[in-house]
Amino acid sequence: MLSCLQKASRRRSFDYFKVICIVRLQHAQVQSKETAVKDFSEIPQPKSLPILGTFLDYTKFRGFNVANLSNLFKARFDELGPIYKETIIPGLSEPTVHCFSPQDNEKLFRLESRLANRDPIEFLKVVRERIGVPSGLVNIQGEEWYQLRRIVNEHFLTNSSVWSYSKDIHEVSEDFVDYISRSLDSNNEVPNFALALNKWALEGAGVFSLDTRFGMFTGEVEEHLQEIVDNSNLMFQLMAELTVAPPFWKYFETKQIRILIFVLDLLSRYYALKQCQAAQVAAIKKQRDILLKRIKEKDPEKLTKLEKLMTKEVDILVSDMLGGGVDTTSNAAAFMLYIMAVNPDKQEILREEIKTALQSGKVDGKSLQRMKYLHACALEAQRMFPLTPGTSRRLPVDVVLSGYNVPAGTRLLLLSNVAHHKNPEYFDQPESFLPERWLERKHKSKQEWSNFMSTRSGFAMIGSFGMGARACPGRKFAMQEVHYLLISLLSRYKVEYHHKPIKPHFRLVTVPSEEPQFTFIPL
Amino acid sequence: MSHRSFSVFRKIFSEFSKLPLRGVAIKQQTAYTHKSELLASLQQVKTFHTTPIVAKDKITINLIDRKGEKHTTSANIDDTILDVVLDNELNFESFGVCEGTVSCSTCHVIFEDGVYSLLEEPLMDEMDMLDLACGLTETSRLGCQVYLTKEMDNCTVTLPREITDARDV
């Protein structure tokens, strides 16, 4: 009896704290230079037609191409300001608030509680239900998400776990560079390098999700794997189109949905086959059993609901790892190599740091974290070519954003990457690739640096991995992979680029607008 | 074995099995932040100590919460500050929201000067998140990334007063 009361009062005090937090924030907002808080209905909206809403803006009728979705957001930002509300088709879609202001990012970052809520990818959820597999970590919410995410965190985001794969990932990148050296043509280019990057990313993903080397570079590739690579590309293309298409697929099966169902079915059957061999999956399952046992001891009623869920969700984790870890990483690598190629002086500086590390033999996982220039290059590449325009949330409480009251339950899109990644107000010389900007902290006191970051650059860029408790779980693996690629490649080759300039194009994740055909000059 | 020694053995065994589990099993209550290799630790899900847990594995640590109250507790060496807060159920509000994955800055703590200089330099991931913490000082660190050592016995760790931006208020 007493423990129940204690538990209840603890929970109440947490809610009480949240209320105090919000009241304090709102109070501060009113007290500050801004005028009184405006109502939700006053948030600026783009011009919309009576029945069609703003739907036409997303069709070829107005010259829209899904690859330029980020440009549409930027255009709206330029026209309407740091916050706007849009309902694409009144009656069918819900009003979504788009925020661009770094101050709003900061507010949401500090308010984030344990159970961060981000809307599922609707069509993916529907398709997975149709195939009969669980929705996946990206699509579940609330307590279920939290329990699964704890398991995922322990295996994906703890340093000991990530660093235990560093040797294998280093080998993968060395094998990749050997493959490059074998495949160079007379122009010192690798034919269809985009596919080669996909193979590298898939090889790396295979290491940390299935503990196996697929052998994409040794020539003895399993027959299914080429299919997997081709299908992954198709999958991402379809997912990009479905994100912005009108939600007709909710009511009947469109052609796109049918293709997506087929592709995902194929991929999930392949992954289910491979799972038996995986030590990683065994480890996750063991972890899950321990977690379930602990929940059972504390709260048996919770168990029956969660148990069935978590058994199935763990199985889909592997396909999420392989699906989410290939296209994203290979695009990140393409942009990284591009920015290195067009900034040969920065490439030299990085090469010096890499050479020093290799000579002293310090290239394990932890030592990578001490290579400051490498880390700064990765951050700067994220700024110039963000892999996503931002992230999204659904608010648990009422919040005042940019002077407007936004009620709980509203869907938010935080899109500051699109608006501010090249904004001179937040980043000096925004068009230049300057990793040094992230290293200036040593020239300022901690206080100065913290003020600089939190008023300027820090929250202007959400980065490629989202923010807070719901940020990408694979980000440490991805960064490790790209770091090792740079280490292996830049120590043996000089990277150049002699074709049309590459711009970012949106395709669920940002992709290069041109083929990433780099030239590799042996050192 | 004679009847008498068998019953003694059984008594010792029953006492022994009541001892708390060391190693990975206890850490399941918190974000797994121990430094040991992942695979090795997974293989030994339960590790029993043949000797009782001795004082030399522990240190005393003082934590001052956001209201200025002092909590003194014992802590295991090689635990992180976040482990200490969670293991001892200190219930600091909004502390360690992302559970030690360096995705937030709510476990921001401030060390004394002398203790801060004993700590290893923060890794780049931690520095990126620490930059975004409120009320950053010269001796600030993220509590989920600082491992306790013997030299930190009796140190005082302070939580910053506000977790929202001090400039707002």
mmCIF file with all atom_site columns, all heavy atoms in Angstrom, chain A residues 24 28 110 146 369 375 441 446-447 449 475, chain B residues 99 101 103 124 128 131-132 136 138 162 168:
data_model
loop_
_atom_site.group_PDB
_atom_site.id
_atom_site.type_symbol
_atom_site.label_atom_id
_atom_site.label_alt_id
_atom_site.label_comp_id
_atom_site.label_asym_id
_atom_site.label_entity_id
_atom_site.label_seq_id
_atom_site.pdbx_PDB_ins_code
_atom_site.Cartn_x
_atom_site.Cartn_y
_atom_site.Cartn_z
_atom_site.occupancy
_atom_site.B_iso_or_equiv
_atom_site.pdbx_formal_charge
_atom_site.auth_seq_id
_atom_site.auth_comp_id
_atom_site.auth_asym_id
_atom_site.auth_atom_id
_atom_site.pdbx_PDB_model_num
ATOM 1   N N   . ARG A 1 24  ? 6.821  27.998 -16.447 1.00 0.00 ? 24  ARG A N   1
ATOM 2   C CA  . ARG A 1 24  ? 7.980  28.897 -16.384 1.00 0.00 ? 24  ARG A CA  1
ATOM 3   C C   . ARG A 1 24  ? 8.354  29.393 -17.770 1.00 0.00 ? 24  ARG A C   1
ATOM 4   O O   . ARG A 1 24  ? 8.645  30.558 -17.984 1.00 0.00 ? 24  ARG A O   1
ATOM 5   C CB  . ARG A 1 24  ? 9.168  28.159 -15.765 1.00 0.00 ? 24  ARG A CB  1
ATOM 6   C CG  . ARG A 1 24  ? 9.914  28.994 -14.748 1.00 0.00 ? 24  ARG A CG  1
ATOM 7   C CD  . ARG A 1 24  ? 11.203 28.357 -14.364 1.00 0.00 ? 24  ARG A CD  1
ATOM 8   N NE  . ARG A 1 24  ? 11.017 27.160 -13.560 1.00 0.00 ? 24  ARG A NE  1
ATOM 9   C CZ  . ARG A 1 24  ? 11.762 26.077 -13.674 1.00 0.00 ? 24  ARG A CZ  1
ATOM 10  N NH1 . ARG A 1 24  ? 12.713 26.025 -14.534 1.00 0.00 ? 24  ARG A NH1 1
ATOM 11  N NH2 . ARG A 1 24  ? 11.536 25.019 -12.920 1.00 0.00 ? 24  ARG A NH2 1
ATOM 12  N N   . ALA A 1 28  ? 8.109  33.115 -19.124 1.00 0.00 ? 28  ALA A N   1
ATOM 13  C CA  . ALA A 1 28  ? 9.304  33.784 -19.645 1.00 0.00 ? 28  ALA A CA  1
ATOM 14  C C   . ALA A 1 28  ? 9.022  34.360 -21.017 1.00 0.00 ? 28  ALA A C   1
ATOM 15  O O   . ALA A 1 28  ? 9.448  35.445 -21.355 1.00 0.00 ? 28  ALA A O   1
ATOM 16  C CB  . ALA A 1 28  ? 10.461 32.801 -19.706 1.00 0.00 ? 28  ALA A CB  1
ATOM 17  N N   . ARG A 1 110 ? 15.063 20.667 -24.938 1.00 0.00 ? 110 ARG A N   1
ATOM 18  C CA  . ARG A 1 110 ? 15.123 20.665 -23.477 1.00 0.00 ? 110 ARG A CA  1
ATOM 19  C C   . ARG A 1 110 ? 13.872 20.076 -22.852 1.00 0.00 ? 110 ARG A C   1
ATOM 20  O O   . ARG A 1 110 ? 13.895 19.617 -21.719 1.00 0.00 ? 110 ARG A O   1
ATOM 21  C CB  . ARG A 1 110 ? 15.328 22.090 -22.956 1.00 0.00 ? 110 ARG A CB  1
ATOM 22  C CG  . ARG A 1 110 ? 16.567 22.734 -23.518 1.00 0.00 ? 110 ARG A CG  1
ATOM 23  C CD  . ARG A 1 110 ? 17.360 23.486 -22.511 1.00 0.00 ? 110 ARG A CD  1
ATOM 24  N NE  . ARG A 1 110 ? 18.411 24.238 -23.161 1.00 0.00 ? 110 ARG A NE  1
ATOM 25  C CZ  . ARG A 1 110 ? 19.604 23.747 -23.463 1.00 0.00 ? 110 ARG A CZ  1
ATOM 26  N NH1 . ARG A 1 110 ? 19.896 22.510 -23.193 1.00 0.00 ? 110 ARG A NH1 1
ATOM 27  N NH2 . ARG A 1 110 ? 20.494 24.511 -24.071 1.00 0.00 ? 110 ARG A NH2 1
ATOM 28  N N   . TYR A 1 146 ? 9.653  2.511  -25.831 1.00 0.00 ? 146 TYR A N   1
ATOM 29  C CA  . TYR A 1 146 ? 10.675 2.742  -24.827 1.00 0.00 ? 146 TYR A CA  1
ATOM 30  C C   . TYR A 1 146 ? 11.389 1.458  -24.440 1.00 0.00 ? 146 TYR A C   1
ATOM 31  O O   . TYR A 1 146 ? 12.611 1.397  -24.343 1.00 0.00 ? 146 TYR A O   1
ATOM 32  C CB  . TYR A 1 146 ? 10.027 3.393  -23.606 1.00 0.00 ? 146 TYR A CB  1
ATOM 33  C CG  . TYR A 1 146 ? 10.969 3.615  -22.454 1.00 0.00 ? 146 TYR A CG  1
ATOM 34  C CD1 . TYR A 1 146 ? 12.033 4.489  -22.567 1.00 0.00 ? 146 TYR A CD1 1
ATOM 35  C CD2 . TYR A 1 146 ? 10.793 2.946  -21.256 1.00 0.00 ? 146 TYR A CD2 1
ATOM 36  C CE1 . TYR A 1 146 ? 12.903 4.695  -21.509 1.00 0.00 ? 146 TYR A CE1 1
ATOM 37  C CE2 . TYR A 1 146 ? 11.647 3.149  -20.199 1.00 0.00 ? 146 TYR A CE2 1
ATOM 38  C CZ  . TYR A 1 146 ? 12.701 4.023  -20.327 1.00 0.00 ? 146 TYR A CZ  1
ATOM 39  O OH  . TYR A 1 146 ? 13.560 4.215  -19.283 1.00 0.00 ? 146 TYR A OH  1
ATOM 40  N N   . GLN A 1 369 ? 37.730 8.684  -31.779 1.00 0.00 ? 369 GLN A N   1
ATOM 41  C CA  . GLN A 1 369 ? 37.040 9.768  -31.080 1.00 0.00 ? 369 GLN A CA  1
ATOM 42  C C   . GLN A 1 369 ? 38.000 10.871 -30.659 1.00 0.00 ? 369 GLN A C   1
ATOM 43  O O   . GLN A 1 369 ? 37.573 11.920 -30.221 1.00 0.00 ? 369 GLN A O   1
ATOM 44  C CB  . GLN A 1 369 ? 36.338 9.213  -29.839 1.00 0.00 ? 369 GLN A CB  1
ATOM 45  C CG  . GLN A 1 369 ? 35.087 8.429  -30.151 1.00 0.00 ? 369 GLN A CG  1
ATOM 46  C CD  . GLN A 1 369 ? 33.918 9.340  -30.430 1.00 0.00 ? 369 GLN A CD  1
ATOM 47  O OE1 . GLN A 1 369 ? 33.661 10.272 -29.694 1.00 0.00 ? 369 GLN A OE1 1
ATOM 48  N NE2 . GLN A 1 369 ? 33.214 9.083  -31.505 1.00 0.00 ? 369 GLN A NE2 1
ATOM 49  N N   . HIS A 1 375 ? 36.550 14.347 -36.978 1.00 0.00 ? 375 HIS A N   1
ATOM 50  C CA  . HIS A 1 375 ? 35.210 14.564 -36.433 1.00 0.00 ? 375 HIS A CA  1
ATOM 51  C C   . HIS A 1 375 ? 34.628 15.872 -36.953 1.00 0.00 ? 375 HIS A C   1
ATOM 52  O O   . HIS A 1 375 ? 33.457 15.938 -37.337 1.00 0.00 ? 375 HIS A O   1
ATOM 53  C CB  . HIS A 1 375 ? 35.299 14.583 -34.912 1.00 0.00 ? 375 HIS A CB  1
ATOM 54  C CG  . HIS A 1 375 ? 33.978 14.565 -34.227 1.00 0.00 ? 375 HIS A CG  1
ATOM 55  N ND1 . HIS A 1 375 ? 33.292 13.409 -33.943 1.00 0.00 ? 375 HIS A ND1 1
ATOM 56  C CD2 . HIS A 1 375 ? 33.203 15.574 -33.777 1.00 0.00 ? 375 HIS A CD2 1
ATOM 57  C CE1 . HIS A 1 375 ? 32.162 13.698 -33.336 1.00 0.00 ? 375 HIS A CE1 1
ATOM 58  N NE2 . HIS A 1 375 ? 32.081 15.006 -33.218 1.00 0.00 ? 375 HIS A NE2 1
ATOM 59  N N   . ARG A 1 441 ? 36.404 25.833 -30.139 1.00 0.00 ? 441 ARG A N   1
ATOM 60  C CA  . ARG A 1 441 ? 36.136 25.868 -28.710 1.00 0.00 ? 441 ARG A CA  1
ATOM 61  C C   . ARG A 1 441 ? 37.402 26.054 -27.886 1.00 0.00 ? 441 ARG A C   1
ATOM 62  O O   . ARG A 1 441 ? 37.368 26.558 -26.789 1.00 0.00 ? 441 ARG A O   1
ATOM 63  C CB  . ARG A 1 441 ? 35.378 24.630 -28.231 1.00 0.00 ? 441 ARG A CB  1
ATOM 64  C CG  . ARG A 1 441 ? 35.997 23.314 -28.593 1.00 0.00 ? 441 ARG A CG  1
ATOM 65  C CD  . ARG A 1 441 ? 35.410 22.189 -27.756 1.00 0.00 ? 441 ARG A CD  1
ATOM 66  N NE  . ARG A 1 441 ? 34.091 21.746 -28.143 1.00 0.00 ? 441 ARG A NE  1
ATOM 67  C CZ  . ARG A 1 441 ? 33.824 20.859 -29.086 1.00 0.00 ? 441 ARG A CZ  1
ATOM 68  N NH1 . ARG A 1 441 ? 34.806 20.337 -29.772 1.00 0.00 ? 441 ARG A NH1 1
ATOM 69  N NH2 . ARG A 1 441 ? 32.585 20.492 -29.350 1.00 0.00 ? 441 ARG A NH2 1
ATOM 70  N N   . LYS A 1 446 ? 34.798 28.154 -21.742 1.00 0.00 ? 446 LYS A N   1
ATOM 71  C CA  . LYS A 1 446 ? 33.644 27.273 -21.850 1.00 0.00 ? 446 LYS A CA  1
ATOM 72  C C   . LYS A 1 446 ? 32.348 28.078 -21.932 1.00 0.00 ? 446 LYS A C   1
ATOM 73  O O   . LYS A 1 446 ? 31.452 27.764 -22.691 1.00 0.00 ? 446 LYS A O   1
ATOM 74  C CB  . LYS A 1 446 ? 33.568 26.347 -20.632 1.00 0.00 ? 446 LYS A CB  1
ATOM 75  C CG  . LYS A 1 446 ? 34.538 25.191 -20.643 1.00 0.00 ? 446 LYS A CG  1
ATOM 76  C CD  . LYS A 1 446 ? 34.007 24.015 -21.443 1.00 0.00 ? 446 LYS A CD  1
ATOM 77  C CE  . LYS A 1 446 ? 35.017 22.893 -21.545 1.00 0.00 ? 446 LYS A CE  1
ATOM 78  N NZ  . LYS A 1 446 ? 35.282 22.249 -20.240 1.00 0.00 ? 446 LYS A NZ  1
ATOM 79  N N   . GLN A 1 447 ? 32.289 29.129 -21.118 1.00 0.00 ? 447 GLN A N   1
ATOM 80  C CA  . GLN A 1 447 ? 31.075 29.941 -21.065 1.00 0.00 ? 447 GLN A CA  1
ATOM 81  C C   . GLN A 1 447 ? 30.818 30.591 -22.414 1.00 0.00 ? 447 GLN A C   1
ATOM 82  O O   . GLN A 1 447 ? 29.726 30.540 -22.957 1.00 0.00 ? 447 GLN A O   1
ATOM 83  C CB  . GLN A 1 447 ? 31.257 31.014 -19.982 1.00 0.00 ? 447 GLN A CB  1
ATOM 84  C CG  . GLN A 1 447 ? 29.990 31.768 -19.646 1.00 0.00 ? 447 GLN A CG  1
ATOM 85  C CD  . GLN A 1 447 ? 28.955 30.871 -19.031 1.00 0.00 ? 447 GLN A CD  1
ATOM 86  O OE1 . GLN A 1 447 ? 29.263 30.060 -18.172 1.00 0.00 ? 447 GLN A OE1 1
ATOM 87  N NE2 . GLN A 1 447 ? 27.736 30.994 -19.481 1.00 0.00 ? 447 GLN A NE2 1
ATOM 88  N N   . TRP A 1 449 ? 31.999 29.702 -25.334 1.00 0.00 ? 449 TRP A N   1
ATOM 89  C CA  . TRP A 1 449 ? 31.720 28.702 -26.358 1.00 0.00 ? 449 TRP A CA  1
ATOM 90  C C   . TRP A 1 449 ? 30.286 28.215 -26.242 1.00 0.00 ? 449 TRP A C   1
ATOM 91  O O   . TRP A 1 449 ? 29.591 28.067 -27.236 1.00 0.00 ? 449 TRP A O   1
ATOM 92  C CB  . TRP A 1 449 ? 32.697 27.534 -26.230 1.00 0.00 ? 449 TRP A CB  1
ATOM 93  C CG  . TRP A 1 449 ? 32.417 26.443 -27.216 1.00 0.00 ? 449 TRP A CG  1
ATOM 94  C CD1 . TRP A 1 449 ? 31.880 25.226 -26.964 1.00 0.00 ? 449 TRP A CD1 1
ATOM 95  C CD2 . TRP A 1 449 ? 32.635 26.488 -28.623 1.00 0.00 ? 449 TRP A CD2 1
ATOM 96  N NE1 . TRP A 1 449 ? 31.753 24.511 -28.121 1.00 0.00 ? 449 TRP A NE1 1
ATOM 97  C CE2 . TRP A 1 449 ? 32.211 25.257 -29.158 1.00 0.00 ? 449 TRP A CE2 1
ATOM 98  C CE3 . TRP A 1 449 ? 33.147 27.458 -29.489 1.00 0.00 ? 449 TRP A CE3 1
ATOM 99  C CZ2 . TRP A 1 449 ? 32.286 24.956 -30.515 1.00 0.00 ? 449 TRP A CZ2 1
ATOM 100 C CZ3 . TRP A 1 449 ? 33.222 27.157 -30.845 1.00 0.00 ? 449 TRP A CZ3 1
ATOM 101 C CH2 . TRP A 1 449 ? 32.789 25.914 -31.337 1.00 0.00 ? 449 TRP A CH2 1
ATOM 102 N N   . ARG A 1 475 ? 23.654 5.792  -35.450 1.00 0.00 ? 475 ARG A N   1
ATOM 103 C CA  . ARG A 1 475 ? 24.552 6.869  -35.847 1.00 0.00 ? 475 ARG A CA  1
ATOM 104 C C   . ARG A 1 475 ? 25.998 6.599  -35.485 1.00 0.00 ? 475 ARG A C   1
ATOM 105 O O   . ARG A 1 475 ? 26.903 6.964  -36.229 1.00 0.00 ? 475 ARG A O   1
ATOM 106 C CB  . ARG A 1 475 ? 24.105 8.205  -35.248 1.00 0.00 ? 475 ARG A CB  1
ATOM 107 C CG  . ARG A 1 475 ? 24.132 8.261  -33.735 1.00 0.00 ? 475 ARG A CG  1
ATOM 108 C CD  . ARG A 1 475 ? 23.625 9.609  -33.261 1.00 0.00 ? 475 ARG A CD  1
ATOM 109 N NE  . ARG A 1 475 ? 23.800 9.755  -31.836 1.00 0.00 ? 475 ARG A NE  1
ATOM 110 C CZ  . ARG A 1 475 ? 22.928 9.340  -30.932 1.00 0.00 ? 475 ARG A CZ  1
ATOM 111 N NH1 . ARG A 1 475 ? 21.804 8.814  -31.313 1.00 0.00 ? 475 ARG A NH1 1
ATOM 112 N NH2 . ARG A 1 475 ? 23.162 9.484  -29.657 1.00 0.00 ? 475 ARG A NH2 1
ATOM 113 N N   . GLU B 2 99  ? 19.152 8.063  -21.387 1.00 0.00 ? 99  GLU B N   1
ATOM 114 C CA  . GLU B 2 99  ? 19.688 6.831  -20.805 1.00 0.00 ? 99  GLU B CA  1
ATOM 115 C C   . GLU B 2 99  ? 21.116 6.533  -21.230 1.00 0.00 ? 99  GLU B C   1
ATOM 116 O O   . GLU B 2 99  ? 21.463 5.399  -21.504 1.00 0.00 ? 99  GLU B O   1
ATOM 117 C CB  . GLU B 2 99  ? 18.784 5.642  -21.157 1.00 0.00 ? 99  GLU B CB  1
ATOM 118 C CG  . GLU B 2 99  ? 17.340 5.904  -20.833 1.00 0.00 ? 99  GLU B CG  1
ATOM 119 C CD  . GLU B 2 99  ? 16.649 4.752  -20.155 1.00 0.00 ? 99  GLU B CD  1
ATOM 120 O OE1 . GLU B 2 99  ? 17.025 3.603  -20.451 1.00 0.00 ? 99  GLU B OE1 1
ATOM 121 O OE2 . GLU B 2 99  ? 15.750 4.996  -19.345 1.00 0.00 ? 99  GLU B OE2 1
ATOM 122 N N   . THR B 2 101 ? 23.014 7.595  -23.864 1.00 0.00 ? 101 THR B N   1
ATOM 123 C CA  . THR B 2 101 ? 23.411 7.389  -25.250 1.00 0.00 ? 101 THR B CA  1
ATOM 124 C C   . THR B 2 101 ? 23.956 8.660  -25.893 1.00 0.00 ? 101 THR B C   1
ATOM 125 O O   . THR B 2 101 ? 24.065 8.747  -27.105 1.00 0.00 ? 101 THR B O   1
ATOM 126 C CB  . THR B 2 101 ? 22.215 6.908  -26.087 1.00 0.00 ? 101 THR B CB  1
ATOM 127 O OG1 . THR B 2 101 ? 21.157 7.863  -25.994 1.00 0.00 ? 101 THR B OG1 1
ATOM 128 C CG2 . THR B 2 101 ? 21.739 5.583  -25.602 1.00 0.00 ? 101 THR B CG2 1
ATOM 129 N N   . SER B 2 103 ? 22.615 11.621 -26.313 1.00 0.00 ? 103 SER B N   1
ATOM 130 C CA  . SER B 2 103 ? 21.668 12.255 -27.226 1.00 0.00 ? 103 SER B CA  1
ATOM 131 C C   . SER B 2 103 ? 21.018 13.474 -26.599 1.00 0.00 ? 103 SER B C   1
ATOM 132 O O   . SER B 2 103 ? 20.205 14.121 -27.235 1.00 0.00 ? 103 SER B O   1
ATOM 133 C CB  . SER B 2 103 ? 20.536 11.287 -27.590 1.00 0.00 ? 103 SER B CB  1
ATOM 134 O OG  . SER B 2 103 ? 21.042 10.044 -27.927 1.00 0.00 ? 103 SER B OG  1
ATOM 135 N N   . MET B 2 124 ? 34.773 13.142 -28.502 1.00 0.00 ? 124 MET B N   1
ATOM 136 C CA  . MET B 2 124 ? 34.142 14.153 -29.357 1.00 0.00 ? 124 MET B CA  1
ATOM 137 C C   . MET B 2 124 ? 32.624 14.121 -29.253 1.00 0.00 ? 124 MET B C   1
ATOM 138 O O   . MET B 2 124 ? 31.968 15.160 -29.239 1.00 0.00 ? 124 MET B O   1
ATOM 139 C CB  . MET B 2 124 ? 34.552 13.954 -30.818 1.00 0.00 ? 124 MET B CB  1
ATOM 140 C CG  . MET B 2 124 ? 36.025 14.023 -31.068 1.00 0.00 ? 124 MET B CG  1
ATOM 141 S SD  . MET B 2 124 ? 36.783 15.561 -30.565 1.00 0.00 ? 124 MET B SD  1
ATOM 142 C CE  . MET B 2 124 ? 35.973 16.723 -31.615 1.00 0.00 ? 124 MET B CE  1
ATOM 143 N N   . ASP B 2 128 ? 30.260 17.391 -28.250 1.00 0.00 ? 128 ASP B N   1
ATOM 144 C CA  . ASP B 2 128 ? 29.198 17.975 -29.072 1.00 0.00 ? 128 ASP B CA  1
ATOM 145 C C   . ASP B 2 128 ? 27.939 18.210 -28.243 1.00 0.00 ? 128 ASP B C   1
ATOM 146 O O   . ASP B 2 128 ? 27.274 19.234 -28.378 1.00 0.00 ? 128 ASP B O   1
ATOM 147 C CB  . ASP B 2 128 ? 28.842 17.034 -30.235 1.00 0.00 ? 128 ASP B CB  1
ATOM 148 C CG  . ASP B 2 128 ? 29.933 17.014 -31.290 1.00 0.00 ? 128 ASP B CG  1
ATOM 149 O OD1 . ASP B 2 128 ? 30.756 17.942 -31.303 1.00 0.00 ? 128 ASP B OD1 1
ATOM 150 O OD2 . ASP B 2 128 ? 29.960 16.055 -32.076 1.00 0.00 ? 128 ASP B OD2 1
ATOM 151 N N   . ASP B 2 131 ? 28.300 20.929 -25.397 1.00 0.00 ? 131 ASP B N   1
ATOM 152 C CA  . ASP B 2 131 ? 28.201 22.293 -25.918 1.00 0.00 ? 131 ASP B CA  1
ATOM 153 C C   . ASP B 2 131 ? 26.804 22.850 -25.792 1.00 0.00 ? 131 ASP B C   1
ATOM 154 O O   . ASP B 2 131 ? 26.607 24.055 -25.728 1.00 0.00 ? 131 ASP B O   1
ATOM 155 C CB  . ASP B 2 131 ? 28.581 22.322 -27.407 1.00 0.00 ? 131 ASP B CB  1
ATOM 156 C CG  . ASP B 2 131 ? 30.059 22.162 -27.641 1.00 0.00 ? 131 ASP B CG  1
ATOM 157 O OD1 . ASP B 2 131 ? 30.838 22.393 -26.703 1.00 0.00 ? 131 ASP B OD1 1
ATOM 158 O OD2 . ASP B 2 131 ? 30.429 21.805 -28.766 1.00 0.00 ? 131 ASP B OD2 1
ATOM 159 N N   . LEU B 2 132 ? 25.796 21.969 -25.827 1.00 0.00 ? 132 LEU B N   1
ATOM 160 C CA  . LEU B 2 132 ? 24.415 22.429 -25.843 1.00 0.00 ? 132 LEU B CA  1
ATOM 161 C C   . LEU B 2 132 ? 23.794 22.470 -24.456 1.00 0.00 ? 132 LEU B C   1
ATOM 162 O O   . LEU B 2 132 ? 22.611 22.768 -24.312 1.00 0.00 ? 132 LEU B O   1
ATOM 163 C CB  . LEU B 2 132 ? 23.574 21.504 -26.740 1.00 0.00 ? 132 LEU B CB  1
ATOM 164 C CG  . LEU B 2 132 ? 24.103 21.309 -28.155 1.00 0.00 ? 132 LEU B CG  1
ATOM 165 C CD1 . LEU B 2 132 ? 23.237 20.328 -28.905 1.00 0.00 ? 132 LEU B CD1 1
ATOM 166 C CD2 . LEU B 2 132 ? 24.148 22.622 -28.898 1.00 0.00 ? 132 LEU B CD2 1
ATOM 167 N N   . LEU B 2 136 ? 26.901 25.976 -18.846 1.00 0.00 ? 136 LEU B N   1
ATOM 168 C CA  . LEU B 2 136 ? 28.150 25.243 -18.946 1.00 0.00 ? 136 LEU B CA  1
ATOM 169 C C   . LEU B 2 136 ? 29.252 25.950 -18.161 1.00 0.00 ? 136 LEU B C   1
ATOM 170 O O   . LEU B 2 136 ? 29.360 27.168 -18.196 1.00 0.00 ? 136 LEU B O   1
ATOM 171 C CB  . LEU B 2 136 ? 28.539 25.157 -20.419 1.00 0.00 ? 136 LEU B CB  1
ATOM 172 C CG  . LEU B 2 136 ? 29.574 24.112 -20.796 1.00 0.00 ? 136 LEU B CG  1
ATOM 173 C CD1 . LEU B 2 136 ? 29.004 22.729 -20.592 1.00 0.00 ? 136 LEU B CD1 1
ATOM 174 C CD2 . LEU B 2 136 ? 29.985 24.287 -22.252 1.00 0.00 ? 136 LEU B CD2 1
ATOM 175 N N   . GLU B 2 138 ? 33.598 25.577 -16.610 1.00 0.00 ? 138 GLU B N   1
ATOM 176 C CA  . GLU B 2 138 ? 34.890 25.012 -17.014 1.00 0.00 ? 138 GLU B CA  1
ATOM 177 C C   . GLU B 2 138 ? 35.062 23.592 -16.518 1.00 0.00 ? 138 GLU B C   1
ATOM 178 O O   . GLU B 2 138 ? 35.916 22.865 -16.998 1.00 0.00 ? 138 GLU B O   1
ATOM 179 C CB  . GLU B 2 138 ? 36.033 25.884 -16.456 1.00 0.00 ? 138 GLU B CB  1
ATOM 180 C CG  . GLU B 2 138 ? 36.058 27.290 -17.020 1.00 0.00 ? 138 GLU B CG  1
ATOM 181 C CD  . GLU B 2 138 ? 36.492 27.321 -18.474 1.00 0.00 ? 138 GLU B CD  1
ATOM 182 O OE1 . GLU B 2 138 ? 37.173 26.384 -18.926 1.00 0.00 ? 138 GLU B OE1 1
ATOM 183 O OE2 . GLU B 2 138 ? 36.118 28.276 -19.181 1.00 0.00 ? 138 GLU B OE2 1
ATOM 184 N N   . GLU B 2 162 ? 19.348 24.939 -13.281 1.00 0.00 ? 162 GLU B N   1
ATOM 185 C CA  . GLU B 2 162 ? 18.239 24.923 -14.226 1.00 0.00 ? 162 GLU B CA  1
ATOM 186 C C   . GLU B 2 162 ? 18.540 23.953 -15.342 1.00 0.00 ? 162 GLU B C   1
ATOM 187 O O   . GLU B 2 162 ? 19.673 23.848 -15.781 1.00 0.00 ? 162 GLU B O   1
ATOM 188 C CB  . GLU B 2 162 ? 18.060 26.313 -14.853 1.00 0.00 ? 162 GLU B CB  1
ATOM 189 C CG  . GLU B 2 162 ? 17.741 27.410 -13.876 1.00 0.00 ? 162 GLU B CG  1
ATOM 190 C CD  . GLU B 2 162 ? 16.316 27.301 -13.372 1.00 0.00 ? 162 GLU B CD  1
ATOM 191 O OE1 . GLU B 2 162 ? 15.535 26.539 -13.973 1.00 0.00 ? 162 GLU B OE1 1
ATOM 192 O OE2 . GLU B 2 162 ? 16.000 27.962 -12.382 1.00 0.00 ? 162 GLU B OE2 1
ATOM 193 N N   . ASP B 2 168 ? 16.135 32.378 -20.399 1.00 0.00 ? 168 ASP B N   1
ATOM 194 C CA  . ASP B 2 168 ? 14.690 32.566 -20.525 1.00 0.00 ? 168 ASP B CA  1
ATOM 195 C C   . ASP B 2 168 ? 14.091 33.199 -19.281 1.00 0.00 ? 168 ASP B C   1
ATOM 196 O O   . ASP B 2 168 ? 13.145 33.950 -19.345 1.00 0.00 ? 168 ASP B O   1
ATOM 197 C CB  . ASP B 2 168 ? 14.001 31.203 -20.722 1.00 0.00 ? 168 ASP B CB  1
ATOM 198 C CG  . ASP B 2 168 ? 13.815 30.902 -22.200 1.00 0.00 ? 168 ASP B CG  1
ATOM 199 O OD1 . ASP B 2 168 ? 13.925 31.829 -23.000 1.00 0.00 ? 168 ASP B OD1 1
ATOM 200 O OD2 . ASP B 2 168 ? 13.569 29.747 -22.530 1.00 0.00 ? 168 ASP B OD2 1
#
